[in-house]
mmCIF file of all heavy atoms in Angstrom:
data_model
loop_
_atom_site.group_PDB
_atom_site.id
_atom_site.type_symbol
_atom_site.label_atom_id
_atom_site.label_comp_id
_atom_site.label_asym_id
_atom_site.label_seq_id
_atom_site.Cartn_x
_atom_site.Cartn_y
_atom_site.Cartn_z
ATOM 1 N N SER A 1187 19.757 -3.104 9.337
ATOM 2 C CA SER A 1187 19.294 -2.318 10.496
ATOM 3 C C SER A 1187 19.110 -3.340 11.639
ATOM 4 O O SER A 1187 18.722 -4.401 11.487
ATOM 5 C CB SER A 1187 18.101 -1.551 10.211
ATOM 6 O OG SER A 1187 17.485 -1.000 11.342
ATOM 7 N N PRO A 1188 19.415 -2.744 12.897
ATOM 8 C CA PRO A 1188 19.171 -3.568 14.061
ATOM 9 C C PRO A 1188 17.621 -3.930 14.332
ATOM 10 O O PRO A 1188 17.219 -4.703 15.149
ATOM 11 C CB PRO A 1188 19.808 -2.936 15.261
ATOM 12 C CG PRO A 1188 19.927 -1.498 14.764
ATOM 13 C CD PRO A 1188 20.112 -1.536 13.274
ATOM 14 N N GLY A 1189 16.808 -3.048 13.769
ATOM 15 C CA GLY A 1189 15.281 -3.048 13.894
ATOM 16 C C GLY A 1189 14.711 -2.230 13.022
ATOM 17 O O GLY A 1189 15.320 -1.706 12.123
ATOM 18 N N PRO A 1190 13.197 -2.070 13.160
ATOM 19 C CA PRO A 1190 12.477 -1.391 12.160
ATOM 20 C C PRO A 1190 12.472 0.282 12.523
ATOM 21 O O PRO A 1190 11.561 0.816 11.835
ATOM 22 C CB PRO A 1190 11.204 -2.043 12.210
ATOM 23 C CG PRO A 1190 11.121 -2.460 13.677
ATOM 24 C CD PRO A 1190 12.491 -2.893 14.088
ATOM 25 N N ALA A 1191 13.175 0.648 13.481
ATOM 26 C CA ALA A 1191 12.965 2.037 13.710
ATOM 27 C C ALA A 1191 13.457 2.833 12.471
ATOM 28 O O ALA A 1191 14.369 2.688 11.705
ATOM 29 C CB ALA A 1191 13.975 2.520 14.845
ATOM 30 N N PRO A 1192 12.590 3.907 12.045
ATOM 31 C CA PRO A 1192 12.831 4.653 10.872
ATOM 32 C C PRO A 1192 14.318 5.164 10.667
ATOM 33 O O PRO A 1192 14.882 5.079 9.638
ATOM 34 C CB PRO A 1192 11.849 5.770 10.893
ATOM 35 C CG PRO A 1192 10.730 5.183 11.702
ATOM 36 C CD PRO A 1192 11.307 4.282 12.774
ATOM 37 N N ALA A 1193 14.832 5.786 11.651
ATOM 38 C CA ALA A 1193 16.220 6.442 11.593
ATOM 39 C C ALA A 1193 17.298 5.238 11.281
ATOM 40 O O ALA A 1193 18.200 5.523 10.557
ATOM 41 C CB ALA A 1193 16.583 7.140 12.835
ATOM 42 N N ASP A 1194 17.055 4.096 11.914
ATOM 43 C CA ASP A 1194 18.047 3.016 11.848
ATOM 44 C C ASP A 1194 17.965 2.458 10.331
ATOM 45 O O ASP A 1194 18.927 2.137 9.713
ATOM 46 C CB ASP A 1194 17.816 1.861 12.724
ATOM 47 C CG ASP A 1194 18.120 2.373 14.155
ATOM 48 O OD1 ASP A 1194 18.951 3.281 14.445
ATOM 49 O OD2 ASP A 1194 17.590 1.657 15.321
ATOM 50 N N VAL A 1195 16.789 2.306 9.807
ATOM 51 C CA VAL A 1195 16.642 1.763 8.517
ATOM 52 C C VAL A 1195 17.247 2.663 7.522
ATOM 53 O O VAL A 1195 17.686 2.374 6.514
ATOM 54 C CB VAL A 1195 15.112 1.352 8.293
ATOM 55 C CG1 VAL A 1195 14.986 0.869 6.849
ATOM 56 C CG2 VAL A 1195 14.711 0.296 9.207
ATOM 57 N N ALA A 1196 16.825 4.043 7.675
ATOM 58 C CA ALA A 1196 17.341 5.033 6.746
ATOM 59 C C ALA A 1196 18.884 4.970 6.612
ATOM 60 O O ALA A 1196 19.403 5.090 5.537
ATOM 61 C CB ALA A 1196 16.937 6.469 7.198
ATOM 62 N N ARG A 1197 19.458 4.995 7.842
ATOM 63 C CA ARG A 1197 20.974 4.900 7.826
ATOM 64 C C ARG A 1197 21.482 3.593 7.121
ATOM 65 O O ARG A 1197 22.406 3.720 6.366
ATOM 66 C CB ARG A 1197 21.508 4.916 9.224
ATOM 67 C CG ARG A 1197 21.540 6.321 9.855
ATOM 68 C CD ARG A 1197 22.252 6.338 11.165
ATOM 69 N NE ARG A 1197 21.532 5.604 12.288
ATOM 70 C CZ ARG A 1197 20.766 6.197 13.066
ATOM 71 N NH1 ARG A 1197 20.626 7.387 12.984
ATOM 72 N NH2 ARG A 1197 20.267 5.449 13.977
ATOM 73 N N GLY A 1198 20.772 2.443 7.373
ATOM 74 C CA GLY A 1198 21.103 1.308 6.787
ATOM 75 C C GLY A 1198 21.037 1.286 5.175
ATOM 76 O O GLY A 1198 21.912 0.857 4.525
ATOM 77 N N LEU A 1199 19.943 1.848 4.722
ATOM 78 C CA LEU A 1199 19.683 1.958 3.298
ATOM 79 C C LEU A 1199 20.799 2.739 2.672
ATOM 80 O O LEU A 1199 21.440 2.477 1.662
ATOM 81 C CB LEU A 1199 18.397 2.615 3.010
ATOM 82 C CG LEU A 1199 17.171 1.612 3.119
ATOM 83 C CD1 LEU A 1199 15.853 2.447 3.203
ATOM 84 C CD2 LEU A 1199 17.057 0.580 2.008
ATOM 85 N N LEU A 1200 21.164 3.971 3.345
ATOM 86 C CA LEU A 1200 22.172 4.866 2.805
ATOM 87 C C LEU A 1200 23.574 4.252 2.802
ATOM 88 O O LEU A 1200 24.532 4.596 2.060
ATOM 89 C CB LEU A 1200 22.044 6.246 3.432
ATOM 90 C CG LEU A 1200 20.877 6.968 3.218
ATOM 91 C CD1 LEU A 1200 20.800 8.172 3.963
ATOM 92 C CD2 LEU A 1200 20.722 7.287 1.669
ATOM 93 N N SER A 1201 23.758 3.324 3.801
ATOM 94 C CA SER A 1201 25.131 2.710 3.868
ATOM 95 C C SER A 1201 25.193 1.646 2.739
ATOM 96 O O SER A 1201 26.401 1.467 2.251
ATOM 97 C CB SER A 1201 25.228 1.901 5.305
ATOM 98 O OG SER A 1201 24.402 0.769 5.176
ATOM 99 N N ALA A 1202 24.088 1.116 2.217
ATOM 100 C CA ALA A 1202 24.126 0.159 1.190
ATOM 101 C C ALA A 1202 24.210 0.925 -0.206
ATOM 102 O O ALA A 1202 24.726 0.387 -1.158
ATOM 103 C CB ALA A 1202 23.032 -0.739 1.347
ATOM 104 N N TRP A 1203 23.372 2.023 -0.182
ATOM 105 C CA TRP A 1203 23.375 2.715 -1.410
ATOM 106 C C TRP A 1203 23.406 4.324 -1.155
ATOM 107 O O TRP A 1203 22.301 4.894 -0.832
ATOM 108 C CB TRP A 1203 22.205 2.498 -2.280
ATOM 109 C CG TRP A 1203 22.230 3.034 -3.635
ATOM 110 C CD1 TRP A 1203 22.118 4.260 -3.954
ATOM 111 C CD2 TRP A 1203 22.648 2.360 -4.868
ATOM 112 N NE1 TRP A 1203 22.147 4.501 -5.302
ATOM 113 C CE2 TRP A 1203 22.580 3.268 -5.847
ATOM 114 C CE3 TRP A 1203 23.046 1.006 -5.174
ATOM 115 C CZ2 TRP A 1203 22.973 2.966 -7.164
ATOM 116 C CZ3 TRP A 1203 23.509 0.742 -6.503
ATOM 117 C CH2 TRP A 1203 23.414 1.662 -7.369
ATOM 118 N N PRO A 1204 24.456 5.010 -1.034
ATOM 119 C CA PRO A 1204 24.511 6.314 -0.905
ATOM 120 C C PRO A 1204 23.734 7.203 -1.817
ATOM 121 O O PRO A 1204 23.895 6.933 -3.051
ATOM 122 C CB PRO A 1204 25.964 6.795 -0.868
ATOM 123 C CG PRO A 1204 26.629 5.452 -0.637
ATOM 124 C CD PRO A 1204 25.744 4.343 -1.207
ATOM 125 N N ALA A 1205 22.578 7.918 -1.312
ATOM 126 C CA ALA A 1205 21.652 8.477 -2.292
ATOM 127 C C ALA A 1205 21.615 10.012 -1.781
ATOM 128 O O ALA A 1205 21.758 10.297 -0.714
ATOM 129 C CB ALA A 1205 20.451 7.649 -2.185
ATOM 130 N N ARG A 1206 21.001 10.763 -2.696
ATOM 131 C CA ARG A 1206 20.836 12.164 -2.363
ATOM 132 C C ARG A 1206 19.368 12.449 -1.933
ATOM 133 O O ARG A 1206 19.095 13.530 -1.619
ATOM 134 C CB ARG A 1206 21.113 13.123 -3.547
ATOM 135 C CG ARG A 1206 20.406 12.910 -4.808
ATOM 136 C CD ARG A 1206 21.060 13.719 -5.929
ATOM 137 N NE ARG A 1206 20.420 13.464 -7.172
ATOM 138 C CZ ARG A 1206 19.591 14.377 -7.748
ATOM 139 N NH1 ARG A 1206 19.379 15.573 -7.096
ATOM 140 N NH2 ARG A 1206 18.964 14.152 -8.905
ATOM 141 N N ARG A 1207 18.489 11.382 -2.049
ATOM 142 C CA ARG A 1207 17.162 11.574 -1.510
ATOM 143 C C ARG A 1207 16.671 10.210 -1.179
ATOM 144 O O ARG A 1207 16.935 9.190 -1.685
ATOM 145 C CB ARG A 1207 16.238 12.314 -2.559
ATOM 146 C CG ARG A 1207 16.082 11.588 -3.900
ATOM 147 C CD ARG A 1207 14.943 12.260 -4.706
ATOM 148 N NE ARG A 1207 15.374 13.629 -4.989
ATOM 149 C CZ ARG A 1207 15.815 14.193 -6.050
ATOM 150 N NH1 ARG A 1207 16.063 13.391 -7.054
ATOM 151 N NH2 ARG A 1207 15.922 15.418 -6.331
ATOM 152 N N LEU A 1208 15.653 10.365 -0.273
ATOM 153 C CA LEU A 1208 14.805 9.034 0.114
ATOM 154 C C LEU A 1208 13.290 9.352 -0.067
ATOM 155 O O LEU A 1208 12.898 10.562 0.160
ATOM 156 C CB LEU A 1208 15.084 8.869 1.733
ATOM 157 C CG LEU A 1208 16.433 8.458 2.142
ATOM 158 C CD1 LEU A 1208 16.475 8.438 3.594
ATOM 159 C CD2 LEU A 1208 16.886 7.064 1.557
ATOM 160 N N TYR A 1209 12.668 8.395 -0.387
ATOM 161 C CA TYR A 1209 11.269 8.348 -0.589
ATOM 162 C C TYR A 1209 10.595 7.805 0.660
ATOM 163 O O TYR A 1209 10.905 6.606 0.991
ATOM 164 C CB TYR A 1209 10.719 7.647 -1.857
ATOM 165 C CG TYR A 1209 9.284 7.495 -1.946
ATOM 166 C CD1 TYR A 1209 8.391 8.517 -2.647
ATOM 167 C CD2 TYR A 1209 8.608 6.315 -1.461
ATOM 168 C CE1 TYR A 1209 7.098 8.260 -2.684
ATOM 169 C CE2 TYR A 1209 7.351 6.077 -1.576
ATOM 170 C CZ TYR A 1209 6.478 7.144 -2.119
ATOM 171 O OH TYR A 1209 5.118 6.964 -2.278
ATOM 172 N N VAL A 1210 9.566 8.341 1.395
ATOM 173 C CA VAL A 1210 8.931 7.863 2.557
ATOM 174 C C VAL A 1210 7.538 7.840 2.325
ATOM 175 O O VAL A 1210 6.803 8.996 1.898
ATOM 176 C CB VAL A 1210 9.214 8.710 3.715
ATOM 177 C CG1 VAL A 1210 8.637 8.166 4.837
ATOM 178 C CG2 VAL A 1210 10.686 8.873 4.022
ATOM 179 N N ALA A 1211 6.807 6.785 2.458
ATOM 180 C CA ALA A 1211 5.438 6.594 2.200
ATOM 181 C C ALA A 1211 4.798 6.288 3.777
ATOM 182 O O ALA A 1211 5.133 5.382 4.394
ATOM 183 C CB ALA A 1211 5.059 5.439 1.460
ATOM 184 N N ASP A 1212 4.093 7.393 4.150
ATOM 185 C CA ASP A 1212 3.361 7.213 5.462
ATOM 186 C C ASP A 1212 2.039 6.513 5.334
ATOM 187 O O ASP A 1212 1.086 7.148 4.854
ATOM 188 C CB ASP A 1212 3.111 8.725 5.994
ATOM 189 C CG ASP A 1212 2.585 8.634 7.502
ATOM 190 O OD1 ASP A 1212 2.041 7.691 7.877
ATOM 191 O OD2 ASP A 1212 2.786 9.641 8.191
ATOM 192 N N LEU A 1213 2.092 5.217 5.496
ATOM 193 C CA LEU A 1213 0.803 4.399 5.072
ATOM 194 C C LEU A 1213 -0.343 4.686 6.081
ATOM 195 O O LEU A 1213 -1.466 4.559 5.572
ATOM 196 C CB LEU A 1213 1.254 3.040 5.185
ATOM 197 C CG LEU A 1213 2.272 2.547 4.201
ATOM 198 C CD1 LEU A 1213 2.629 1.040 4.328
ATOM 199 C CD2 LEU A 1213 1.935 2.895 2.755
ATOM 200 N N ASP A 1214 -0.018 5.099 7.296
ATOM 201 C CA ASP A 1214 -1.206 5.458 8.248
ATOM 202 C C ASP A 1214 -1.883 6.627 7.671
ATOM 203 O O ASP A 1214 -3.044 6.666 7.764
ATOM 204 C CB ASP A 1214 -0.714 5.756 9.572
ATOM 205 C CG ASP A 1214 -0.099 4.438 10.214
ATOM 206 O OD1 ASP A 1214 -0.838 3.429 10.146
ATOM 207 O OD2 ASP A 1214 0.836 4.483 10.801
ATOM 208 N N ALA A 1215 -1.198 7.560 7.132
ATOM 209 C CA ALA A 1215 -1.731 8.862 6.636
ATOM 210 C C ALA A 1215 -2.489 8.495 5.151
ATOM 211 O O ALA A 1215 -3.616 9.005 4.931
ATOM 212 C CB ALA A 1215 -0.691 9.842 6.299
ATOM 213 N N ILE A 1216 -1.863 7.751 4.338
ATOM 214 C CA ILE A 1216 -2.368 7.351 3.064
ATOM 215 C C ILE A 1216 -3.686 6.538 3.194
ATOM 216 O O ILE A 1216 -4.619 6.842 2.405
ATOM 217 C CB ILE A 1216 -1.380 6.669 2.159
ATOM 218 C CG1 ILE A 1216 -0.133 7.494 1.865
ATOM 219 C CG2 ILE A 1216 -1.894 6.149 0.855
ATOM 220 C CD1 ILE A 1216 0.982 6.933 1.133
ATOM 221 N N MET A 1217 -3.539 5.511 3.926
ATOM 222 C CA MET A 1217 -4.679 4.513 4.128
ATOM 223 C C MET A 1217 -5.792 5.015 5.026
ATOM 224 O O MET A 1217 -7.060 4.635 4.839
ATOM 225 C CB MET A 1217 -4.215 3.184 4.574
ATOM 226 C CG MET A 1217 -3.067 2.646 3.590
ATOM 227 S SD MET A 1217 -2.325 1.014 4.237
ATOM 228 C CE MET A 1217 -3.633 -0.035 4.561
ATOM 229 N N ASP A 1218 -5.405 5.623 6.199
ATOM 230 C CA ASP A 1218 -6.374 5.890 7.241
ATOM 231 C C ASP A 1218 -6.640 7.317 7.404
ATOM 232 O O ASP A 1218 -7.469 7.676 8.356
ATOM 233 C CB ASP A 1218 -5.889 5.258 8.601
ATOM 234 C CG ASP A 1218 -5.625 3.868 8.326
ATOM 235 O OD1 ASP A 1218 -6.244 3.147 7.683
ATOM 236 O OD2 ASP A 1218 -4.689 3.291 9.159
ATOM 237 N N GLY A 1219 -6.019 8.315 6.662
ATOM 238 C CA GLY A 1219 -6.237 9.690 6.948
ATOM 239 C C GLY A 1219 -5.543 10.259 8.223
ATOM 240 O O GLY A 1219 -6.000 11.342 8.629
ATOM 241 N N ALA A 1220 -4.682 9.553 8.760
ATOM 242 C CA ALA A 1220 -3.998 9.996 9.962
ATOM 243 C C ALA A 1220 -3.089 11.197 9.520
ATOM 244 O O ALA A 1220 -2.747 11.282 8.447
ATOM 245 C CB ALA A 1220 -3.085 8.932 10.638
ATOM 246 N N PRO A 1221 -2.661 12.081 10.516
ATOM 247 C CA PRO A 1221 -1.802 13.131 10.152
ATOM 248 C C PRO A 1221 -0.403 12.675 9.873
ATOM 249 O O PRO A 1221 -0.179 11.494 10.287
ATOM 250 C CB PRO A 1221 -1.810 14.102 11.466
ATOM 251 C CG PRO A 1221 -2.236 13.110 12.562
ATOM 252 C CD PRO A 1221 -3.301 12.082 11.871
ATOM 253 N N PRO A 1222 0.446 13.351 9.120
ATOM 254 C CA PRO A 1222 1.780 12.859 8.943
ATOM 255 C C PRO A 1222 2.466 12.429 10.288
ATOM 256 O O PRO A 1222 2.283 13.147 11.168
ATOM 257 C CB PRO A 1222 2.381 14.110 8.041
ATOM 258 C CG PRO A 1222 1.175 14.793 7.507
ATOM 259 C CD PRO A 1222 0.187 14.561 8.641
ATOM 260 N N ASP A 1223 3.335 11.357 10.166
ATOM 261 C CA ASP A 1223 4.073 11.051 11.339
ATOM 262 C C ASP A 1223 5.348 11.911 11.384
ATOM 263 O O ASP A 1223 6.483 11.456 10.917
ATOM 264 C CB ASP A 1223 4.540 9.561 11.280
ATOM 265 C CG ASP A 1223 5.069 9.013 12.559
ATOM 266 O OD1 ASP A 1223 5.584 9.918 13.314
ATOM 267 O OD2 ASP A 1223 5.170 7.819 12.675
ATOM 268 N N LEU A 1224 5.176 13.140 11.839
ATOM 269 C CA LEU A 1224 6.301 14.082 11.957
ATOM 270 C C LEU A 1224 7.425 13.520 12.795
ATOM 271 O O LEU A 1224 8.588 13.965 12.489
ATOM 272 C CB LEU A 1224 5.811 15.421 12.423
ATOM 273 C CG LEU A 1224 4.739 16.141 11.483
ATOM 274 C CD1 LEU A 1224 4.339 17.579 12.154
ATOM 275 C CD2 LEU A 1224 5.215 16.341 10.098
ATOM 276 N N GLY A 1225 7.154 12.816 13.868
ATOM 277 C CA GLY A 1225 8.162 12.263 14.745
ATOM 278 C C GLY A 1225 9.081 11.363 13.939
ATOM 279 O O GLY A 1225 10.309 11.544 14.000
ATOM 280 N N ALA A 1226 8.619 10.294 13.160
ATOM 281 C CA ALA A 1226 9.439 9.546 12.500
ATOM 282 C C ALA A 1226 10.086 10.285 11.328
ATOM 283 O O ALA A 1226 11.215 9.998 11.052
ATOM 284 C CB ALA A 1226 8.401 8.435 11.818
ATOM 285 N N LEU A 1227 9.381 11.239 10.647
ATOM 286 C CA LEU A 1227 10.145 12.051 9.666
ATOM 287 C C LEU A 1227 11.298 12.924 10.221
ATOM 288 O O LEU A 1227 12.292 12.938 9.571
ATOM 289 C CB LEU A 1227 9.038 12.917 8.855
ATOM 290 C CG LEU A 1227 8.036 12.187 8.154
ATOM 291 C CD1 LEU A 1227 6.951 13.182 7.643
ATOM 292 C CD2 LEU A 1227 8.713 11.517 6.982
ATOM 293 N N ARG A 1228 11.007 13.459 11.406
ATOM 294 C CA ARG A 1228 12.217 14.218 11.990
ATOM 295 C C ARG A 1228 13.396 13.206 12.311
ATOM 296 O O ARG A 1228 14.580 13.627 12.099
ATOM 297 C CB ARG A 1228 11.641 14.957 13.131
ATOM 298 C CG ARG A 1228 10.715 16.116 12.878
ATOM 299 C CD ARG A 1228 10.534 16.914 14.229
ATOM 300 N NE ARG A 1228 9.518 18.076 13.986
ATOM 301 C CZ ARG A 1228 8.239 17.973 14.247
ATOM 302 N NH1 ARG A 1228 7.764 16.921 14.911
ATOM 303 N NH2 ARG A 1228 7.504 19.033 13.871
ATOM 304 N N ALA A 1229 13.018 12.187 12.757
ATOM 305 C CA ALA A 1229 14.172 11.086 13.113
ATOM 306 C C ALA A 1229 14.919 10.789 11.887
ATOM 307 O O ALA A 1229 16.091 10.675 11.933
ATOM 308 C CB ALA A 1229 13.553 9.929 13.739
ATOM 309 N N ILE A 1230 14.155 10.487 10.756
ATOM 310 C CA ILE A 1230 14.909 10.145 9.487
ATOM 311 C C ILE A 1230 15.722 11.353 9.062
ATOM 312 O O ILE A 1230 16.883 11.074 8.731
ATOM 313 C CB ILE A 1230 13.848 9.726 8.454
ATOM 314 C CG1 ILE A 1230 13.046 8.465 8.796
ATOM 315 C CG2 ILE A 1230 14.455 9.629 7.109
ATOM 316 C CD1 ILE A 1230 11.847 8.124 7.971
ATOM 317 N N ALA A 1231 15.147 12.523 9.085
ATOM 318 C CA ALA A 1231 15.978 13.709 8.609
ATOM 319 C C ALA A 1231 17.126 13.919 9.420
ATOM 320 O O ALA A 1231 18.125 14.233 8.951
ATOM 321 C CB ALA A 1231 15.030 14.862 8.739
#
């Protein structure tokens, strides 16, 4: 990936290993109780 943007990294992972699902851990939500990062998830989707 050219950088750490979620959509770019997701595309890069799938270019190396075509998969039917991705696992996403939202660490801000898990560690700090923040709401899910829907913007990042929408970009990945």
Side-chain angles (χ1 to χ4, degrees):
S1187 171
D1194 290 339
V1195 177
R1197 279 191 295 264
L1199 285 167
L1200 293 174
S1201 71
W1203 191 281
R1206 61 192 180 102
R1207 60 172 57 103
L1208 294 171
Y1209 169 90
V1210 183
D1212 184 336
L1213 299 179
D1214 293 313
I1216 294 170
M1217 297 169 63
D1218 304 328
D1223 188 343
L1224 297 182
L1227 294 172
R1228 289 191 183 103
I1230 294 169

